[in-house]
Amino acid sequence: MKDSGGFLVLPWSNSGAAAEPGEENRTGLLLRCGAVLGLSLICFAVMRRWIAGGVCRCSVRLDGKTVLITGANTGIGKETSRDLARRGARVVMACRDLTRAERAAEEIRRSTGNGNVVIRHLDLSSLYSVRQFAKDFLDSEDRLDILINNAGVMMCPKWLTEDGFETQLAVNHLGHFLLTNLLLPKLKSSAPSRIVNVSSIAHRGGRIDFEDLFFSRRPYSALESYRQSKLANVLFSSEIARRLKGSGVTSFSLHPGVIRTELGRHVEGWFPMLGAILRLPSLLLMKTPWQGCQTTLYCAVTPGLEDRSGQYFSDCAEQQVAPEGRDEATARRLWEESAKLVGLKETC
């Protein structure tokens, strides 16, 4: 098309024009969403790093050393066994379920190249089983350099063991109390040696009810029972450290963190819908078993901790134990009561 002056007039084109308001809004929205997503990913990465906690960076070897770990076929016990096997230790996995234990041990042997990983049957809810295990261990093993009291139950229903004890206190404390005392001759002859007791931050707010340890008279509370047993771990650890001072055997207690393991299965059993709702957040917000075993490893292998015997650790660092865990009179009384309950006439 030509105008009267002979110029060529072309149809109007939008190619060089400014974007329409709707397109500007969409572009701005995409930029804002991208910024929010990027910031969220950065925050998530920082949060996961914080949740993971400390890492044991000690590279010490354990060739020629023997380590005993209770509850070693799953969770943090299994990862602890794997790490110590990788360091060259002879690892004795003390487990209740031998079928699962053998599968775990074989996996650890393959992944570490250490064939010196063995399993032994131990049921911490049975005093007979604990005594039989200790006898066999003392008869067959030359040494014991590190004892890791790792096994435990969490917030289970009110069950009684064959000895008539409430299960959480029986497994988490009394079984380990008896086991440790029976193995002391081997620990002392292998000194310097260590006892590592896996407790929990749940010891805060716990109370040792000496008048009703097994909830025979008061209403049973799975949470109160769990707290009592974890407080008992801390008190036992500090008291045995006091009693063994100068022997070359040291003791430490620790909080491993909130971890994705089978330990919380009873809680999910009570509230299956809650368990299903929280499963995805738990995958994001809880430690992995590898992350959860780092403080155990730190207490087991880090050189120079001998003067910190009896102390409490979390995230690979010494932490202040709750006031309940610093009561020396309660620790001594718990020791005496525990010895009576498990039938120990002589202790350290």
Side-chain angles (χ1 to χ4, degrees):
M1 178 185 299
K2 294 184 179 180
D3 64 6
S4 58
F7 292 99
L8 179 65
V9 179
L10 298 176
W12 178 259
S13 171
N14 287 329
S15 59
E20 295 180 0
E23 186 176 343
E24 283 186 356
N25 291 340
R26 285 193 297 273
T27 302
L29 179 61
L30 287 174
L31 289 173
R32 287 193 295 273
C33 288
V36 170
L37 178 60
L39 181 61
S40 299
L41 290 174
I42 292 171
C43 291
F44 175 74
V46 171
M47 182 176 64
R48 282 298 306 163
R49 181 70 177 269
W50 176 75
I51 289 171
V55 175
C56 177
R57 304 196 182 278
C58 176
S59 60
V60 68
R61 296 285 302 175
L62 296 175
D63 303 279
K65 306 290 187 181
T66 297
V67 180
L68 169 59
I69 308 170
T70 66
N73 64 295
T74 188
I76 62 175
K78 180 180 176 181
E79 291 306 316
T80 302
S81 300
R82 190 194 310 277
D83 184 280
L84 298 177
R86 191 173 286 121
R87 295 170 186 268
R90 172 174 171 78
V91 178
V92 180
M93 302 170 64
C95 308
R96 185 171 58 86
D97 187 333
L98 289 182
T99 301
R100 296 182 67 187
E102 181 52 42
R103 285 200 297 266
E106 181 55 31
E107 180 190 328
I108 291 170
R109 294 182 198 116
R110 286 198 309 268
S111 63
T112 64
N114 184 347
N116 204 5
V117 177
V118 299
I119 63 170
R120 298 270 182 92
H121 180 261
L122 173 63
D123 182 354
L124 286 161
S125 69
S126 164
L127 298 183
Y128 173 81
S129 177
V130 174
R131 289 184 179 278
Q132 190 61 48
F133 174 91
K135 180 181 182 302
D136 293 343
F137 189 95
L138 293 172
D139 289 343
S140 61
E141 296 292 334
D142 295 329
R143 58 187 304 113
L144 177 56
D145 300 275
I146 304 171
L147 168 61
I148 300 178
N149 292 321
N150 166 81
V153 291
M154 175 182 174
M155 295 180 65
C156 61
K158 187 181 180 182
W159 295 332
L160 296 182
T161 69
E162 63 184 47
D163 303 292
F165 304 149
E166 186 275 320
T167 297
Q168 292 194 85
L169 189 64
V171 173
N172 296 351
H173 169 60
L174 291 174
H176 283 128
F177 175 86
L178 177 59
L179 177 68
T180 304
N181 274 280
L182 293 176
L183 295 179
L184 275 180
K186 196 69 72 176
L187 284 162
K188 288 179 178 178
S189 67
S190 306
S193 55
R194 295 186 182 184
I195 303 165
V196 179
N197 300 291
V198 179
S199 180
S200 168
I201 197 173
H203 80 276
R204 295 180 179 276
R207 181 174 68 94
I208 307 296
D209 189 339
F210 290 107
E211 305 307 316
D212 190 17
L213 284 171
F214 305 129
F215 292 83
S216 301
R217 295 188 291 274
R218 54 184 165 141
Y220 177 72
S221 165
L223 178 57
E224 284 183 31
S225 174
Y226 182 67
R227 283 178 169 172
Q228 177 179 246
S229 70
K230 294 290 103 178
L231 175 58
N233 293 153
V234 173
L235 294 169
F236 166 60
S237 187
S238 62
E239 178 64 11
I240 199 170
R242 184 186 68 81
R243 289 171 177 255
L244 293 176
K245 188 173 182 180
S247 69
V249 183
T250 49
S251 171
F252 310 95
S253 62
L254 65 97
H255 168 56
V258 182
I259 305 159
R260 298 197 300 268
T261 69
E262 298 176 359
L263 199 59
R265 61 188 178 276
H266 297 298
V267 179
E268 289 194 10
W270 293 340
F271 309 104
M273 183 63 71
L274 179 63
I277 293 172
L278 296 179
R279 193 159 290 127
L280 179 58
S282 73
L283 291 175
L284 302 177
L285 301 177
M286 292 183 180
K287 288 185 178 183
T288 65
W290 181 86
Q291 292 166 342
C293 78
Q294 295 303 303
T295 305
T296 300
L297 294 170
Y298 179 86
C299 292
V301 304
T302 302
L305 292 183
E306 288 74 17
D307 62 345
R308 310 312 301 155
S309 184
Q311 299 305 306
Y312 172 79
F313 291 77
S314 179
D315 284 331
C316 298
E318 185 178 340
Q319 303 290 341
Q320 178 78 289
V321 73
E324 301 90 337
R326 300 197 295 269
D327 190 327
E328 294 183 3
T330 300
R332 284 193 297 271
R333 184 177 177 187
L334 177 64
W335 182 283
E336 293 163 0
E337 291 293 328
S338 300
K340 291 177 185 176
L341 287 168
V342 302
L344 269 181
K345 295 181 180 178
E346 294 183 10
T347 61
C348 60

